[in-house]
Amino acid sequence: MGKQVAIVGAGISGLLACKYTISKGFQPIVFESTSSIGGVWTKTVESTKLQTPKPVYQFSDFPWPSSVEEDFPSQHQVLDYIQSYAQHFDLLKHIKFDTKVCGIEYEGASEDEMQAWSHWGGTGEPFSSKGKWKVAVEDKHSRSTEVYLVDFVILCIGRFSDVPNIPEFLFNKGPEVFHGEVIHSKDYAAMDYERARNFVKGKRVTVVGFQKSALDIAMECSNTNGIEHPCTVIYKTEHWTVPDYLPWGVPLAYLYLNRFSELLIHKPGEGILLGLLATILSPLRWGFSKFVESYITKKLGLAKYGMIPKHSFLQEISSCLLSTIPEKFYDRVQEGSIILKKSPSSFSFDQEGILVEGEASPLQTDLVILATGFRGDKKLKDIFVSPTFQDYIAGSPEAILPLYRECIHGRIPQLAVIGFSESVSNLYTSEMRCRWVAELLAGTFTLPSIKEMEKDVNKWDGFAKRYAGKYYRRSCNGTLHIWYNDQLCKDMGWNPKRKKGLFAELFEPYGPLDYAPS
């Protein structure tokens, strides 16, 4: 019998981890706390569509069916695609549904021993005859708890679910003083479509946030209530939201998803020549950004609404903050069914509604929907029983999550994290990481020393801070997909160059199908 690998979560990353560990002869057991696969795609607002064009968001060995003709498929189409993938590769039999992992605890070397290790797990190997993980799992129906002893753990718990990010308020300034109702966007998304419509119907709704879920919810409120009961969107910062991926007729992928575009950026671990080239080409880097900004500004009429961001498009995409704007969003702003209101640093509650910074009277409202994101870092940290491992995985709040190749923590043995770090296409990057982890488990390559891994993490942290600036987020690879994938390919012994011919290699966009199994 092969080594047993526990996979936590049956979203996209969990399914990929299951498929690729099977391919290497391991025995995966997937714990999924809900009754279905698909992760964040199982509960969305009605208007949710794929954020990126489908050629960039697909499995490398399981293309989209020809029946899906849209560039940005709906939530139902995406979920059907994911379910078809799981059925095609016979993954469902490995999944235990409605089983919530309460905590994981390492059983093996003492913490003092582990601190003295110079290599991951002491030997650099993914498995140990002495070390195991105890995975405590609760059956959500019977409420009974069972403990599984496994050889390796892959955490695929995601960042955008379960633990909502709720803003903190001063005493007597929070939701408790408000006479209306306050919910998080996840509560709205959990409703069926008809119930969600009825829930906002006839109410003065205020949505807090300006990322994808906030924009979608505001549009749905506008569809339901029109100008009779406008939906107010409170935001802190203007963002570059894209109406499409064809600025002035040029596919965005040709500006940011090919090798030439990556030559314009300083890369972690680059040599002197590449560094010099990125410096020389910096005016072109600026020009690409201005090219896209001019298109978005013109197409959406941002100047008319005072919504031109103060930061660059490069900063937006480098921070993984890029999102698509719902069709006709600003038409709704113009007609008055959506009202945009800026609150630069804070807002608070009173009995009648929300007090916006700089305004004397409260914004009267019946319902506040907080589209303020999730605390994925807390969810990841809390799954560990050991306070030491909790501190390791959290790292410094001022740095990126300390994961080598965005997968492995050098001081936590026999464990990988997949799907926490964002990108322009999370499916694409998760698949590459799952293949890398599977090859690591199979012994195809070994990891460098813990010090070398930590040094590499620091280089990526410097890169992230350089291009994201004040919008820096702790786990994001928005502009260096190919450079990052090159590292994975070299580790696995693959040829990182996947195109035919120098011109294609330099200028054609890279996507999932370039890495399809041969």
Side-chain angles (χ1 to χ4, degrees), residues 159-165 184-186 372-377:
R159 291 179 62 176
F160 304 108
S161 60
D162 299 327
V163 183
N165 177 41
H184 189 267
S185 57
K186 85 180 189 75
T372 46
F374 293 86
R375 289 290 312 278
D377 55 342

Side-chain angles (χ1 to χ4, degrees), residues 35-52:
S35 58
S36 60
I37 63 171
V40 294
W41 287 104
T42 59
K43 295 288 183 182
T44 70
V45 302
E46 186 174 5
S47 56
T48 297
K49 291 185 176 183
L50 192 61
Q51 281 280 286
T52 49

Side-chain angles (χ1 to χ4, degrees), residues 161-193:
S161 60
D162 299 327
V163 183
N165 177 41
I166 305 296
E168 294 182 359
F169 300 93
L170 297 174
F171 179 68
N172 271 348
K173 295 291 183 181
E176 71 279 358
V177 302
F178 176 48
H179 286 175
E181 191 168 2
V182 181
I183 66 169
H184 189 267
S185 57
K186 85 180 189 75
D187 304 313
Y188 179 88
M191 301 177 191
D192 64 60
Y193 298 156

Side-chain angles (χ1 to χ4, degrees), residues 106-340:
Y106 188 67
E107 192 175 73
S110 68
E111 290 188 357
D112 287 341
E113 284 181 83
M114 287 191 278
Q115 285 176 356
W117 288 346
S118 60
H119 284 79
W120 183 52
T123 62
E125 298 295 323
F127 300 106
S128 167
S129 58
K130 299 177 182 177
K132 300 271 188 181
W133 280 97
K134 290 196 296 186
V135 182
V137 179
E138 180 189 57
D139 184 299
K140 293 178 76 174
H141 296 299
S142 67
R143 297 295 178 188
S144 62
T145 301
E146 188 173 353
V147 176
Y148 292 79
L149 205 59
V150 299
D151 301 291
F152 199 91
V153 171
I154 304 178
L155 297 178
C156 302
I157 56 179
R159 291 179 62 176
F160 304 108
S161 60
D162 299 327
V163 183
N165 177 41
I166 305 296
E168 294 182 359
F169 300 93
L170 297 174
F171 179 68
N172 271 348
K173 295 291 183 181
E176 71 279 358
V177 302
F178 176 48
H179 286 175
E181 191 168 2
V182 181
I183 66 169
H184 189 267
S185 57
K186 85 180 189 75
D187 304 313
Y188 179 88
M191 301 177 191
D192 64 60
Y193 298 156
E194 185 178 358
R195 185 179 161 217
R197 284 192 294 271
N198 291 333
F199 182 67
V200 300
K201 189 173 183 179
K203 293 179 182 174
R204 297 168 296 178
V205 181
T206 298
V207 178
V208 179
F210 203 71
Q211 289 297 294
K212 184 59 178 169
S213 60
L215 303 178
D216 283 346
I217 292 170
M219 277 296 284
E220 293 194 0
C221 292
S222 169
N223 291 337
T224 301
N225 291 328
I227 59 174
E228 185 180 355
H229 297 290
C231 176
T232 301
V233 177
I234 294 181
Y235 67 96
K236 184 183 292 187
T237 306
E238 299 84 1
H239 285 286
W240 293 109
T241 49
V242 296
D244 54 58
Y245 281 72
L246 287 168
W248 302 118
V250 179
L252 196 64
Y254 281 90
L255 302 177
Y256 289 101
L257 290 179
N258 59 14
R259 286 194 183 275
F260 180 75
S261 69
E262 295 192 2
L263 290 177
L264 314 185
I265 296 173
H266 289 281
K267 296 167 281 294
E270 68 186 0
I272 295 173
L273 287 177
L274 285 177
L276 182 62
L277 190 60
T279 300
I280 292 170
L281 294 175
S282 60
L284 192 55
R285 179 174 71 230
W286 176 87
F288 277 11
S289 195
K290 291 302 173 188
F291 179 79
V292 179
E293 291 165 28
S294 67
Y295 174 75
I296 298 172
T297 302
K298 175 76 172 173
K299 177 91 173 178
L300 299 179
L302 297 184
K304 181 167 44 175
Y305 308 106
M307 292 300 291
I308 299 177
K310 294 179 175 61
H311 59 280
S312 70
F313 182 79
L314 176 63
Q315 216 170 345
E316 188 85 35
I317 197 170
S318 297
S319 311
C320 292
L321 291 172
L322 190 64
S323 62
T324 54
I325 191 98
E327 191 177 355
K328 297 185 178 178
F329 180 87
Y330 281 103
D331 290 350
R332 300 298 176 85
V333 175
Q334 185 165 2
E335 75 178 17
S337 61
I338 293 177
I339 298 170
L340 302 177

